[in-house]
Amino acid sequence: MATKNAIHPHYYHLPAVHKTRLPATAQAYQDYAIGKNPRQKSANRAVKLAESLSNILNLQIETTIQRSLNRSNLDVLSIEEKHNTPTTSPKEDISAKWREIHGSRDWDDLLDPLHPWLRREIVKYGEFAQATYDAFDFDAFSEYCGSCMYNRHKLFDKLGLTKTGYNVTQYIYAMSHIDLPQWLEKSRFVDTWSKDSNWMGFVAVSDDQESKRIGRRDIVVAWRGTVAPSEWYDNMQRKLEPIGHGDSKVEHGFLSIYTSKSDFTRYNKSSASEQVMREVKKLVDYYQKIGEQVSLTITGHSLGGALGLLNAYEAAKNFPNLPISVVSFASPRVGNIAFRDELYQMGIKTLRVTMKQDVVPRMPGIVFNESLQRFDDITGTLEWVYTHVGVELKLDVRSSPYLKKGLNLVGFHMLETYLHLVDGYHSSDSGFRADAKRDVALVNKDCDMLVDELRIPPNWYQLANKGLERNDHGRWVKPKRDPEDIPSPTMESHNYHELELGDSYGIGSWFGVSI
Amino acid sequence: MATKNAIHPHYYHLPAVHKTRLPATAQAYQDYAIGKNPRQKSANRAVKLAESLSNILNLQIETTIQRSLNRSNLDVLSIEEKHNTPTTSPKEDISAKWREIHGSRDWDDLLDPLHPWLRREIVKYGEFAQATYDAFDFDAFSEYCGSCMYNRHKLFDKLGLTKTGYNVTQYIYAMSHIDLPQWLEKSRFVDTWSKDSNWMGFVAVSDDQESKRIGRRDIVVAWRGTVAPSEWYDNMQRKLEPIGHGDSKVEHGFLSIYTSKSDFTRYNKSSASEQVMREVKKLVDYYQKIGEQVSLTITGHSLGGALGLLNAYEAAKNFPNLPISVVSFASPRVGNIAFRDELYQMGIKTLRVTMKQDVVPRMPGIVFNESLQRFDDITGTLEWVYTHVGVELKLDVRSSPYLKKGLNLVGFHMLETYLHLVDGYHSSDSGFRADAKRDVALVNKDCDMLVDELRIPPNWYQLANKGLERNDHGRWVKPKRDPEDIPSPTMESHNYHELELGDSYGIGSWFGVSI
């Protein structure tokens, strides 16, 4: 180390050759502008994309000047120090205020500035939604592609969510009778756990300690969405279907995923709708019978937020007196004005967390043109009746000094980016919270949004050797999954002994489609 | 499981919706044709590329028909069974025949059919070359990017090469005074182990047991190349520089990497040339002094093969009576005819392992046009004097039923693909060896060449979470590298106490460039 900068003038040496490089900032901007392809031409395409986007969506794309300004706010040293600080504050007892936190007064006076108790609850539900991504088997070379990698008893342990004080009671599987390109994650092989269904989320319930802290027994339904917007929103059918018995209509792709079932499948002999309603009813009945106050909180990101709204609608029909709220992240529009009004009338409270730079909450209304790599405004062609519901918490990627500001369609939509911004959110007119504690590194799990100074590699969330392990003979093989983690169609048992009950409950009968 | 195919006719179910999909084979061909980008447009580009390539290089690109024929040969079950079989045959004592195996008779009668003893030796040296990739730190977010992840004492243990019976005695570092775009792997940050140098390989020597088996004390030099061809061969300078005192000339980019040094660096106060020669001399002197028969075997893949040839040339000048041979894989042309003749006169034996479908051994002569994604024939413009040396062992990707045949520029060039084909090679007119034992999964480490039936994910060689680890506070951080694994410029110590020796030996004085 001593000789690091030592110069030996008596030594002859050739003149150093310097490559013509961009300054680090510009380089990083170019390399990572769209977070996937580290080639200059991509950066150019990103810039074009930025222009067309800002024209269509009035996004304020950062300039490098704004960016460097922003980055100068970043004290990297303080981040290094943060490595040895806790990632959460001590939990407060919010039981006295739980109804307001749950939205009973539409989060009036709680959002701007954001109440710290509410912030913690939003992050808690967001992490349940994130779990549906982190535990999902995306490996097309796995016979279990499209399932959850762990059984419901291990899920929270594996993901470090045990401290949340909730227990998973049921997994949800979904299929679709409508062809939704790029929605269903499928194994490449025939001998797979399921050809038709994907793991779509879970039902969980708060344990005694957490229930005491939050003032009631909280049932949570977390819906999985899709990782990258382009996976599905350019394929949205933009076709409305009636729901219930009134004028309410919803996007029929979402409805299909929520309500499809087939006896020829193992995991969707009952639909996602039936699976969820059955489990929620079981829990509500049980806890109400022993005299507890019960609430239902539904969460989801992107497509998952849309499914959550259908779920809430159905739950309100089935449980008229149950406090129901939805905490959605980056959710697109789902239905028409009549649908929104019906949700209001039923007392469903919806907190919509959105981001100024994310395009998905503006869907339907624009579509992503995969081949042309640009957005097309289809307001003209679209039967323009979609509308948003509930209360909005609007985030801004520019508020965080940790984030790159170059256009990043994927990064702007990622749930971890949302959770980071919620953690740092104080009010609409203030900067990032100095005492935000959540681990910033999580943002780069599946994208490239963190400024280089943080030294967190992009897209770092990955298995060692993609799950291959070296056996005793030195051969790299994919180990068999633990039998306990192989998805089993447990719903089927319910399906039979609870069938009457299910029917008498008219599950799914609210929908225009017969199931 | 029982209900898997159960049908309940008394249940109503909606008709199944079938996506319009390509048959699995065609789909796999499309998705993975170029092994990187699983989009259709890439497949199209791959087809265009295939056409231009076959025009220029007369490559026989497989048709899907040929391919499916080929794939029908694959008995996947036998592969499943192979999972529990050893990856190598028992080692034979080759001491009686070592000079022929080492090339003393230019491998006459040993290549077609390939002598099993020679095959094992080729794979052994190839795995040394592969080690220079597997242990290389490619992480631009690491302050040690461009170094070896492990110190020389741990290297073979970490990579499972202990059984080879060699010990690493020295690491080699290189720099270049010529701007060779995309050659130097660099950290994004300023506080990095080195701004100018990369780990470029190692010197190793056989232990007593292995020396007994192979009939002499074998000194090995393994040179690192580049992972993907497009990283460098489109940037080759195609400019010849004199080497030695005769008419010999070599490509000046290779020469620059081999001979550059600067007192302003920590790891290249001496050049790669000086580092290697010094270490080899130390070992040769030591073992000859105690009366042992010594040999030098130099190996490398791609660029590494080119550096190996310069290394052999220099070694022959310095050690006139030392048996020297080069086992190169996918090596481009290096020098002119005079250079080749001089190598012959000095008795250097070169076994050049090439692949019919790999373009790199045809370089220089064509260049890859990054922007147009095609090959340009530059024979016209090129000062056309480059020539190959030595004996060729020509592989054919079509000989293996385990490999995809769709055009895959990266996969065709990968060293692991070469080693797989060597392991399966019997003779120029026979198919893949039925009793080939090497682990097939290794092929997909950094590419996508294995047929889907094998269920080995593409590009699987990766660290868990890119090296991030969760600390006690639940934060994801990059752990500090073990002090023992932090590269130290050990050469410098030599540099001083062995300086006279080095100079008196005229190291590097054979080159036209003064160092």
Side-chain angles (χ1 to χ4, degrees):
Chain A
M1 294 307 208
T3 68
K4 183 163 190 175
N5 297 318
I7 299 175
H8 308 276
H10 57 287
Y11 276 55
Y12 169 80
H13 63 269
L14 297 174
V17 178
H18 295 293
K19 296 184 183 181
T20 53
R21 288 184 82 87
L22 290 157
T25 310
Q27 185 67 51
Y29 178 80
Q30 281 210 348
D31 291 356
Y32 289 86
I34 66 167
K36 287 279 179 196
N37 186 336
R39 294 213 178 286
Q40 168 131 14
K41 63 186 177 206
S42 308
N44 297 342
R45 198 171 63 223
V47 171
K48 284 200 200 71
L49 193 51
E51 289 158 358
S52 57
L53 262 175
S54 49
N55 296 342
I56 294 163
L57 306 173
N58 313 315
L59 292 185
Q60 281 128 359
I61 302 305
E62 295 284 304
T63 67
T64 39
I65 298 96
Q66 282 174 280
R67 179 150 183 265
S68 47
L69 276 175
N70 195 313
R71 289 178 61 172
S72 66
N73 303 340
L74 176 63
D75 175 0
V76 179
L77 283 181
S78 74
I79 292 154
E80 292 289 335
E81 286 156 14
K82 265 198 174 166
H83 283 178
N84 295 317
T85 62
T87 55
T88 52
S89 320
K91 289 182 176 180
E92 302 90 350
D93 182 320
I94 66 172
S95 54
K97 213 177 160 59
W98 81 263
R99 289 182 183 279
E100 292 85 337
I101 300 283
H102 197 247
S104 63
R105 294 180 39 246
D106 293 301
W107 296 282
D108 191 25
D109 301 335
L110 295 177
L111 289 174
D112 196 3
L114 180 59
H115 192 292
W117 293 2
L118 176 56
R119 183 189 299 114
R120 172 190 283 276
E121 294 304 292
I122 295 172
V123 170
K124 177 178 82 178
Y125 294 118
E127 288 182 338
F128 289 146
Q130 180 64 37
T132 64
Y133 294 128
D134 292 346
F136 190 76
D137 187 342
F138 287 99
D139 179 5
F141 290 82
S142 157
E143 62 195 287
Y144 301 111
C145 179
S147 73
C148 180
M149 292 188 285
Y150 320 109
N151 72 62
R152 65 180 176 86
H153 304 287
K154 284 159 71 177
L155 179 67
F156 282 4
D157 277 349
K158 287 287 185 178
L159 301 181
L161 292 176
T162 319
K163 57 170 172 32
T164 56
Y166 282 72
N167 295 305
V168 179
T169 68
Q170 185 65 260
Y171 275 176
I172 309 166
Y173 298 92
M175 67 179 288
S176 173
H177 282 301
I178 297 170
D179 186 25
L180 300 168
Q182 301 176 61
W183 167 66
L184 191 72
E185 295 287 341
K186 286 184 79 159
S187 167
R188 301 185 151 271
F189 308 109
V190 287
D191 56 335
T192 171
W193 71 289
S194 168
K195 289 179 187 56
D196 320 275
S197 304
N198 270 186
W199 180 59
M200 210 59 200
F202 59 83
V203 180
V205 64
S206 55
D207 62 21
D208 294 348
Q209 187 186 351
E210 176 70 357
S211 300
K212 187 166 177 304
R213 185 185 77 85
I214 61 178
R216 85 285 188 186
R217 187 72 58 173
D218 187 35
I219 302 166
V220 167
V221 183
W223 291 93
R224 188 174 60 83
T226 45
V227 178
S230 65
E231 278 183 25
W232 61 279
Y233 64 60
D234 50 317
N235 295 304
M236 279 180 57
Q237 307 294 315
R238 305 191 299 280
K239 180 162 160 285
L240 283 163
E241 270 191 22
I243 180 174
H245 304 317
D247 301 331
S248 295
K249 293 182 174 183
V250 294
E251 201 283 318
H252 87 321
F254 301 148
L255 192 59
S256 172
I257 293 171
Y258 187 66
T259 60
S260 294
K261 66 176 180 177
S262 162
D263 285 332
F264 287 155
T265 68
R266 293 188 64 217
Y267 297 85
N268 281 107
K269 289 187 166 47
S270 55
S271 65
S273 147
E274 291 169 337
Q275 295 169 36
V276 170
M277 282 301 114
R278 197 174 283 112
E279 183 65 15
V280 169
K281 172 177 172 30
K282 207 170 67 184
L283 294 168
V284 170
D285 288 351
Y286 176 81
Y287 288 109
Q288 282 181 342
K289 205 160 291 168
I290 59 175
E292 290 193 16
Q293 172 64 54
V294 183
S295 71
L296 176 62
T297 314
I298 301 167
T299 188
H301 167 255
S302 193
L303 166 66
L307 297 174
L309 220 51
L310 300 179
N311 185 183
Y313 177 93
E314 187 179 31
K317 295 284 189 183
N318 288 313
F319 312 102
N321 302 320
L322 186 68
I324 301 173
S325 67
V326 178
V327 180
S328 72
F329 302 84
S331 178
R333 301 182 176 96
V334 176
N336 63 2
I337 292 158
F339 176 66
R340 179 198 64 190
D341 295 343
E342 206 177 350
L343 289 170
Y344 287 163
Q345 286 148 21
M346 295 192 292
I348 293 170
K349 303 302 184 177
T350 305
L351 179 57
R352 245 173 357 96
V353 186
T354 66
M355 191 192 306
K356 193 170 185 176
Q357 291 81 3
D358 184 11
V359 296
V360 175
R362 300 155 190 268
M363 310 293 301
I366 55 168
V367 287
F368 185 69
N369 187 320
E370 199 71 52
S371 53
L372 299 179
Q373 286 281 312
R374 62 181 174 76
F375 282 85
D376 295 328
D377 189 344
I378 57 166
T379 315
T381 64
L382 181 70
E383 181 193 359
W384 185 241
V385 290
Y386 288 91
T387 184
H388 271 310
V389 304
V391 179
E392 181 177 25
L393 172 60
K394 194 165 197 170
L395 307 170
D396 187 335
V397 73
R398 294 170 304 172
S399 68
S400 166
Y402 303 101
L403 300 183
K404 290 177 184 167
K405 306 308 182 301
L407 177 69
N408 185 332
L409 285 178
V410 174
F412 290 165
H413 183 58
M414 281 291 175
L415 179 51
E416 286 288 3
T417 310
Y418 273 73
L419 297 179
H420 166 72
L421 291 171
V422 170
D423 184 47
Y425 189 89
H426 173 63
S427 70
S428 54
D429 56 8
S430 67
F432 202 81
R433 288 197 311 140
D435 56 343
K437 291 188 169 56
R438 198 162 183 279
D439 186 11
V440 173
L442 295 170
V443 171
N444 263 11
K445 257 185 198 172
D446 299 300
C447 65
D448 180 17
M449 281 295 290
L450 293 174
V451 295
D452 291 349
E453 289 86 336
L454 295 170
R455 307 199 175 193
I456 304 299
N459 306 288
W460 60 261
Y461 190 76
Q462 62 182 30
L463 294 174
N465 299 321
K466 295 194 173 177
L468 294 183
E469 291 173 12
R470 206 165 189 177
N471 70 12
D472 300 342
H473 301 283
R475 294 189 183 277
W476 291 93
V477 297
K478 189 161 280 178
K480 295 278 161 224
R481 188 182 281 200
D482 292 344
E484 62 179 14
D485 291 329
I486 293 171
S488 71
T490 48
M491 287 312 299
E492 307 316 352
S493 57
H494 297 263
N495 207 4
Y496 300 118
H497 79 253
E498 287 179 17
L499 197 56
E500 275 189 338
L501 169 74
D503 283 345
S504 71
Y505 233 84
I507 282 166
S509 66
W510 300 105
F511 296 107
V513 292
S514 69
I515 50 180
Chain B
M1 295 308 209
T3 68
K4 183 163 190 173
N5 298 318
I7 301 174
H8 307 277
H10 57 286
Y11 277 55
Y12 169 79
H13 63 268
L14 297 176
V17 178
H18 295 294
K19 297 186 183 177
T20 52
R21 290 185 80 86
L22 289 158
T25 309
Q27 185 66 50
Y29 178 79
Q30 280 209 351
D31 291 356
Y32 289 86
I34 66 167
K36 287 278 182 202
N37 186 336
R39 294 210 179 288
Q40 169 129 16
K41 63 185 176 206
S42 308
N44 297 342
R45 200 170 61 221
V47 172
K48 286 201 198 69
L49 193 50
E51 289 159 358
S52 57
L53 262 174
S54 50
N55 297 342
I56 295 164
L57 306 174
N58 311 317
L59 292 185
Q60 282 128 3
I61 302 303
E62 294 285 304
T63 67
T64 39
I65 299 97
Q66 284 175 280
R67 179 151 183 266
S68 47
L69 275 177
N70 195 312
R71 289 178 62 172
S72 66
N73 303 340
L74 176 62
D75 176 0
V76 177
L77 283 179
S78 74
I79 292 153
E80 291 290 335
E81 287 157 15
K82 262 198 176 166
H83 282 177
N84 295 317
T85 61
T87 55
T88 53
S89 319
K91 289 182 175 179
E92 303 90 349
D93 183 319
I94 65 172
S95 54
K97 212 176 162 57
W98 82 263
R99 290 183 183 276
E100 292 85 335
I101 301 284
H102 197 245
S104 63
R105 292 180 40 247
D106 293 300
W107 296 281
D108 192 25
D109 302 334
L110 294 178
L111 289 174
D112 197 3
L114 181 59
H115 192 293
W117 294 2
L118 176 55
R119 182 190 300 114
R120 172 189 281 279
E121 294 303 293
I122 295 171
V123 170
K124 178 178 81 178
Y125 293 118
E127 287 182 339
F128 289 146
Q130 181 64 38
T132 64
Y133 293 129
D134 293 346
F136 190 76
D137 187 342
F138 287 98
D139 180 6
F141 291 81
S142 157
E143 60 196 287
Y144 302 110
C145 179
S147 74
C148 181
M149 292 189 284
Y150 320 108
N151 73 60
R152 65 181 175 88
H153 304 287
K154 283 160 70 177
L155 179 68
F156 282 3
D157 277 348
K158 286 287 185 178
L159 302 181
L161 292 177
T162 318
K163 56 170 173 30
T164 57
Y166 282 71
N167 295 306
V168 179
T169 68
Q170 185 65 261
Y171 274 175
I172 309 166
Y173 298 93
M175 67 179 288
S176 173
H177 282 301
I178 297 170
D179 184 27
L180 301 169
Q182 301 176 60
W183 168 64
L184 192 72
E185 296 287 340
K186 286 184 79 159
S187 168
R188 301 185 149 270
F189 308 108
V190 287
D191 56 335
T192 171
W193 71 288
S194 168
K195 289 180 187 55
D196 320 273
S197 304
N198 270 187
W199 179 60
M200 211 59 201
F202 59 85
V203 181
V205 64
S206 56
D207 61 22
D208 295 347
Q209 188 185 351
E210 176 70 358
S211 300
K212 188 167 176 304
R213 185 185 77 84
I214 61 177
R216 85 286 188 185
R217 186 72 60 171
D218 186 35
I219 301 166
V220 168
V221 183
W223 291 93
R224 188 174 60 83
T226 46
V227 178
S230 66
E231 277 182 25
W232 63 278
Y233 66 171
D234 52 317
N235 295 304
M236 281 179 57
Q237 307 295 315
R238 306 191 299 280
K239 181 162 160 285
L240 283 163
E241 270 191 23
I243 181 175
H245 304 314
D247 301 332
S248 296
K249 291 182 175 183
V250 294
E251 200 284 317
H252 88 321
F254 300 149
L255 192 59
S256 173
I257 293 171
Y258 188 65
T259 59
S260 294
K261 66 177 180 176
S262 162
D263 285 333
F264 287 156
T265 68
R266 292 188 64 214
Y267 296 86
N268 282 107
K269 288 187 167 44
S270 55
S271 65
S273 148
E274 290 170 336
Q275 294 169 38
V276 170
M277 282 301 115
R278 197 175 283 112
E279 183 64 17
V280 169
K281 172 176 173 35
K282 206 170 67 183
L283 294 168
V284 169
D285 289 350
Y286 176 82
Y287 288 109
Q288 283 181 340
K289 204 160 292 169
I290 58 176
E292 289 194 18
Q293 173 63 53
V294 183
S295 72
L296 175 63
T297 314
I298 301 168
T299 188
H301 166 255
S302 193
L303 165 66
L307 297 175
L309 219 50
L310 300 180
N311 183 184
Y313 177 93
E314 186 178 32
K317 295 284 188 184
N318 287 313
F319 311 102
N321 302 320
L322 185 69
I324 301 173
S325 68
V326 178
V327 179
S328 73
F329 302 83
S331 179
R333 301 182 177 96
V334 175
N336 62 2
I337 291 159
F339 176 66
R340 179 198 64 189
D341 295 342
E342 206 178 348
L343 288 170
Y344 287 163
Q345 286 149 20
M346 295 192 292
I348 294 170
K349 304 300 184 178
T350 304
L351 179 57
R352 246 176 354 100
V353 186
T354 66
M355 192 192 307
K356 191 169 186 175
Q357 292 80 4
D358 183 11
V359 295
V360 175
R362 300 156 190 267
M363 313 290 301
I366 55 168
V367 287
F368 186 68
N369 186 321
E370 199 71 52
S371 53
L372 299 179
Q373 285 284 310
R374 61 179 174 77
F375 283 85
D376 295 328
D377 189 345
I378 58 166
T379 315
T381 64
L382 180 71
E383 181 193 0
W384 187 240
V385 290
Y386 286 91
T387 185
H388 271 309
V389 304
V391 178
E392 181 177 26
L393 172 61
K394 194 166 198 168
L395 308 169
D396 187 335
V397 75
R398 294 171 302 172
S399 68
S400 167
Y402 304 102
L403 301 182
K404 290 178 183 165
K405 306 307 182 302
L407 178 68
N408 184 333
L409 284 177
V410 173
F412 289 165
H413 183 59
M414 281 291 174
L415 179 52
E416 284 288 3
T417 310
Y418 273 73
L419 297 180
H420 166 71
L421 290 172
V422 170
D423 184 48
Y425 188 89
H426 172 64
S427 69
S428 54
D429 56 7
S430 69
F432 202 81
R433 287 197 313 141
D435 57 343
K437 291 189 170 54
R438 198 161 184 279
D439 186 11
V440 173
L442 295 169
V443 171
N444 263 10
K445 257 185 198 172
D446 300 300
C447 65
D448 180 17
M449 281 296 290
L450 293 173
V451 294
D452 293 349
E453 288 86 336
L454 295 171
R455 308 198 174 193
I456 304 298
N459 306 288
W460 60 261
Y461 191 75
Q462 61 182 30
L463 294 174
N465 298 321
K466 294 194 174 177
L468 294 182
E469 290 173 12
R470 205 163 188 179
N471 70 12
D472 300 342
H473 301 283
R475 294 190 183 275
W476 291 93
V477 297
K478 189 161 279 176
K480 295 278 162 222
R481 188 182 282 201
D482 292 345
E484 61 178 16
D485 292 327
I486 294 172
S488 71
T490 47
M491 285 313 298
E492 307 316 351
S493 57
H494 296 263
N495 208 3
Y496 301 120
H497 78 253
E498 289 180 15
L499 198 55
E500 274 187 338
L501 171 74
D503 284 350
S504 70
Y505 230 86
I507 282 167
S509 65
W510 301 104
F511 296 106
V513 293
S514 68
I515 50 178

